[in-house]
Amino acid sequence: LSLCFFHAVVQERRKYGPLGWNVRYEFNASDLTSAKQVLRMCVERFHTVPWDALSYVTGEINYGGRVTDDLDRKLLTCMLSRFYSSAVLEQ
């Protein structure tokens, strides 16, 4: 569920043009699908969720692979850290 909220926030920021992202990115359902597959694999294969690895793959590869601006990349990883953490499981 947290991944879906993250995807929704990423998509919503696009509506605000340069206030949302410095560059217009074409995030789409394939980003969500690939991130969901990685999440499922990590949850099924590991006893504890590898948050650092999961955040890197999702933030730098799945979604971050489209991001060309350094500030946008920093924002993306910062937002992802709010959605991908052990605190999410405790709530």
Side-chain angles (χ1 to χ4, degrees), residues 1 9 13-15 17 34-35 47 52-53 65 70 74 90:
L1 187 60
V9 170
R13 290 187 68 87
R14 289 178 30 182
K15 294 181 181 179
S34 61
H47 295 291
D52 290 338
D70 289 337
K74 188 173 186 175
E90 296 168 4

Side-chain angles (χ1 to χ4, degrees), residues 6 55 59-60 72-82:
F6 170 72
S55 296
E60 297 291 335
D72 285 344
R73 183 179 308 279
K74 188 173 186 175
L75 172 64
L76 183 82
T77 56
C78 182
M79 286 191 313
L80 183 62
S81 71
R82 304 286 290 173

Side-chain angles (χ1 to χ4, degrees), residues 17-70:
L19 294 175
W21 297 106
N22 290 331
V23 177
R24 184 164 175 80
Y25 303 107
E26 294 300 322
F27 298 111
N28 55 45
S30 66
D31 299 314
L32 177 60
T33 302
S34 61
K36 191 170 27 172
Q37 289 172 345
V38 171
L39 176 61
R40 179 179 291 131
M41 181 195 66
C42 287
V43 169
E44 290 174 354
R45 291 189 182 180
F46 299 102
H47 295 291
T48 58
V49 179
W51 293 112
D52 290 338
L54 197 55
S55 296
Y56 180 80
V57 171
T58 302
E60 297 291 335
I61 299 171
N62 295 128
Y63 284 87
R66 298 181 185 278
V67 178
T68 56
D69 184 79
D70 289 337

